Amino acid sequence: MRKILIAGNWKMHKTPEEALSFAASLKSAFPQKPLPIDLVVCPPFPALTSVAEALSGSAIAVGAQNLHWETEGAFTGEVSPAMLKAAGCQYVIVGHSERRAYFSETNAVIRQKLKSALQHGLFPIVCVGERLEEREKNRTLEVIEAHLSVFQGIEKERAKQVIVAYEPVWAIGTGRNATPEQAEEVHAVIRKHFQEMFDRDLAEDLRILYGGSVRPDNIDALLARPDIDGALVGGASLQLGSFQKIVQGGLSRMKVRVS
Ligand code: PEP
C-alpha cells in the first residue's frame, strides 16, 4: 500500500530563524513517531542544517528545493547532493516549474539532477505539469510525457526511490487548483507510463503527489482519488495552521487506505 506523503515547499521564504521556529512548532504539533504518513519540509538552503537538526528525532524529514548534479567543483552558487546529505536532507525537489520557467531548466538538466539525486541516495520529488495554454490546446498529456522522458535510462532499482509531483503550472500559487478529476486523470496516465517504462509493481508502488493551490479545504477531495498519494504544498505550507490541517487530511486519508 502506498504511504501518503505531504511535503511543504517553502520556496524563497523564511529566514533561518523563522524556519527554525516553524520547525519547532511543527515538531510539537506532530510528536508521534513513526507517523503513518511521510511528512517533509523543504526550507531554503541557508536553513537546511538548522531545520534538520531541530527535526532530528522526529518523524518529519527535510528536503531541499534544488541541487546541482556534480558532487563538488567550480560551480559558483550551486549546492551539491553530497552537501544536501551532509545538511540532513533526505529528499530533494527536482524540476519544479519555477526552475524550468525562471532558470531555464530543461528536461536534459532535470535528468542529470535526477540521476545524481538517486546516486546519492536522496528521494527526488520530480515535478511535471503543463502550462495553461498547453492545457487549453489539449496538449496536457503530450507535455507530461515529455517531462516523464527524464526517467528514461534510469535503472529500475533506483527508480523505486522516485516520487512524482503533478503540478499544473496554472494552478501553482494562483488559488485555482486542478479539480480532483483533472488531477486523477493525469495521475493515472503517469502511473501507466511508469508501468510501460519499468513494470507494474513499480508503477503500483509509485507515489504521485498533486501540487497547485492545495489548501485545507481541498485536500480531502484530492486525496480521496485513488491515484493521488499526497501533496506538494507551497503557499499553504508557510503557515502552521493551514499546513497542520493539510497534514491532518493526509493522516485521515491514510487511515482509510489502511482499513
Ligand atoms: C509549489 O510551489 O509546488 C506549489 C504547489 O505552490 P502552491 O501550493 O502555492 O500553489
Side-chain angles (χ1 to χ4, degrees):
M1 183 200 324
R2 297 190 295 270
K3 198 173 181 186
I4 283 172
L5 190 159
I6 305 289
N9 173 14
W10 295 355
K11 309 195 187 191
M12 202 170 68
H13 293 286
K14 297 192 190 295
T15 63
E17 200 184 334
E18 290 162 347
L20 200 54
S21 147
F22 187 98
S25 307
L26 193 62
K27 189 174 172 179
S28 311
F30 297 102
Q32 205 184 329
K33 198 185 172 200
L35 273 173
I37 64 168
D38 286 328
L39 178 53
V40 184
V41 290
C42 302
F45 288 136
L48 283 177
T49 306
S50 55
V51 167
E53 275 168 13
L55 293 176
S56 77
S58 81
I60 309 164
V62 175
Q65 300 172 19
N66 185 27
L67 80 166
H68 192 275
W69 55 88
E70 294 289 349
T71 308
E72 62 178 7
F75 300 101
T76 302
E78 294 293 327
V79 178
S80 79
M83 292 168 185
L84 298 183
K85 288 283 282 190
C89 290
Q90 288 176 259
Y91 294 79
V92 61
I93 299 173
V94 180
H96 192 282
S97 62
E98 287 154 14
R99 303 266 350 144
R100 292 180 193 262
Y102 306 136
F103 304 98
S104 310
E105 284 193 11
T106 59
N107 286 330
V109 165
I110 291 163
R111 187 158 175 280
Q112 273 181 288
K113 293 186 174 195
L114 164 67
K115 278 177 72 177
S116 180
L118 290 170
Q119 271 157 13
H120 285 83
L122 289 158
F123 294 106
I125 302 177
V126 181
C127 302
V128 301
E130 80 286 3
R131 288 177 287 130
L132 185 59
E133 59 269 34
E134 292 164 338
R135 175 160 280 267
E136 285 172 347
K137 288 185 186 148
N138 276 327
R139 292 189 50 225
T140 298
L141 299 184
E142 179 195 325
V143 172
I144 300 298
E145 274 174 35
H147 288 176
L148 291 177
S149 69
V150 301
F151 293 103
Q152 268 158 20
I154 301 288
E155 289 163 39
K156 197 164 109 188
E157 271 317 299
R158 289 244 156 98
K160 289 180 182 168
Q161 275 172 250
V162 161
I163 296 144
V164 174
Y166 169 52
E167 297 211 309
V169 179
W170 48 270
I172 297 179
T174 59
R176 177 185 168 194
N177 63 290
T179 64
E181 293 73 22
Q182 286 171 321
E184 172 64 23
E185 185 193 5
V186 177
H187 283 223
V189 167
I190 294 171
R191 201 174 300 290
K192 192 163 157 275
H193 249 78
F194 263 72
Q195 183 171 331
E196 286 159 9
M197 282 189 292
F198 299 102
D199 65 29
R200 194 191 170 94
D201 286 349
L202 194 143
E204 273 305 307
D205 289 345
L206 173 73
R207 289 183 296 174
I208 309 173
L209 316 182
Y210 167 77
S213 297
V214 171
R215 297 179 306 265
D217 65 356
N218 58 27
I219 185 70
D220 292 345
L222 286 160
L223 292 183
R225 297 289 157 161
D227 286 297
I228 303 183
D229 305 310
L232 180 55
V233 188
S237 74
L238 295 173
Q239 305 298 327
L240 185 66
S242 50
F243 193 52
Q244 221 177 316
K245 285 184 191 142
I246 290 169
V247 176
Q248 286 298 350
L251 289 167
S252 309
R253 185 64 203 164
M254 197 63 216
K255 267 194 198 154
V256 177
R257 283 196 173 187
V258 170
S259 67

